[in-house]
Amino acid sequence: MKMIIFPFLATLFLSSGHFGKNVTTGKFSDTLAEDVKNETLRTWSTYTEYAWPHDGLLPISKTYHDWYSQSLNMSPIDAYSTLKVMGLDNEANRIENFVIDSLNFNKDIFVKLFEVDIRILGGLLNIYEMSGNEKVLKKAQDFADRLLPAFNSPTGLPYFYVNLKTGATKGNIVNVAEAGSYIFEFGILSYYTKNPKYYQTAKKATKEIFSRRSTIDLLGRDIDVVTGKWTYTQSMVGAYADSYFEYLYKTWLLFKDPEIKKIWDVSIKAIQKHIAEPRKNGLWYGKVDMNTGEKVNSEVMLWDAYFPALLVLSGDMERAKKADDAWDFLWNKYGLIHMVYDYTKDTVINPFYQLNPEAIESAYYLWHYTGDSLYYNRVKKYYTDTKKYCRTEVAYSHVENVLTMKKKDEMETFFIAENMKYFYLTFSKNPPVNPEEYVFNTEAHPFKKSNFKATEVNKRLGFK
Ligand code: DMJ
């Protein structure tokens, strides 16, 4: 990969394994970064006033909502890393204290394994890394222990739901992302607890998915965790499969497990051969039949826009640029990206925008690695449009229809965890984290590579 080292990287002010006291606050020479920080603080203050410590803020009605009958306190856990990266230490410390004093997962509720893994387990592990507080690690381990029963299926692939109190499971049809996106967080937990069982459990699920690839090395979309049979055989890189591929490469980056790298190598080759479709406005990745490679449709979801970022990380800059052109075209067509789009018919299939971060994430990685202002300006445009169409009196909201820009009274937790972090890192002259030194989980929680010592990783995660 061609890497350009910018002067500002030489002035990074974070040198220790944990963030701790080194974070400098208030030193902004870039007014846009300062604006992002102020907007984040404005939104976070609204959350703390109207919704603390519930799962989410309703940004128009100024109240809260929880995902289940009892709150999982998802917003604070998910927001911590962004607040910390921005140097908002008081806000971050309040969350750390809350985690220690009040977090209790002994709740009789069925939770979606995938969503709580990336937001809550990923968030807690990040709070541990950034604070160095061992009590946070205990909370993360307690949470992961409650998730582990989900993997007790005949195949080792996880059920969709697990009950945090009883360990009961339900939901045997899962998509590829929900089946095989646990190696990153579970690997980090194994490293810090020196217990390989977490990584080994997650890795088995990843391998079980891979072992069911077709003769042309493609995966389906949905699988039955009891029978191990595919129930939906369209193949894709985007939503429904996305973080499975993302975690193959990111886990390789963090832990250098050669078995995972082999899975990535085989997978990406098949993806580029059978799914990539160059068109005049960019490189698209639609849906093909997993057994024949035949194109079945050209619908893409806005989550799919993560893929250029993954291509950048894996060193495929040319395809990354072309794939990003496709998403930028789409953003500019309507002002925001809508949930589902057919790139052959040039039709909006679902006009909803859920404050998803992926287009911002990809342009951020391209800007970071190329230094080409084209990508900086893309992120700037996305920020301007986000403020124009999603900003409410007190926070930010989803948009029900990008054709009318009618707002919807919801704000996903990833808005602060991801969008605001990528905006800030793009605009900041001295970004406190960068992709050379950190690997971000799929919810943008950054983990420092040098914390995972090569001499220890194999033993702690249990691979050769
Ligand atoms: C986030 O929760 C994560 O990035 C996940 O991998 C899928 N996409 C949503 C945001 O769109």
Side-chain angles (χ1 to χ4, degrees), residues 120 136 141 185 199 237 294 296 388 393 446 455:
I120 296 183
V136 178
Q141 187 169 15
E185 288 84 11
Y199 183 66
V237 296
E294 205 176 311
V296 288
K388 186 168 169 189
E393 180 203 341
T455 48

Side-chain angles (χ1 to χ4, degrees), residues 5-53:
I5 307 296
F6 298 103
F8 61 72
L9 293 179
T11 61
L12 283 175
F13 46 76
L14 289 168
S15 53
S16 70
H18 296 289
F19 265 48
K21 297 123 201 128
N22 289 339
V23 173
T24 310
T25 56
K27 283 192 177 172
F28 294 99
S29 49
D30 189 313
T31 49
L32 259 187
E34 195 165 2
D35 191 64
V36 175
K37 182 176 172 178
N38 289 337
E39 285 299 302
T40 304
L41 193 53
R42 183 183 79 97
T43 304
W44 184 248
S45 302
T46 302
Y47 168 80
T48 58
E49 184 176 352
Y50 298 108
W52 175 277

Side-chain angles (χ1 to χ4, degrees), residues 114-115 118-119 242-243 303 356-358 414 418 442-443:
F114 170 77
E115 295 295 345
I118 64 171
R119 301 185 203 213
D242 47 9
S243 48
W303 298 332
N356 304 73
E358 287 82 358
F414 49 69
E418 301 197 55
T442 191
E443 194 74 357

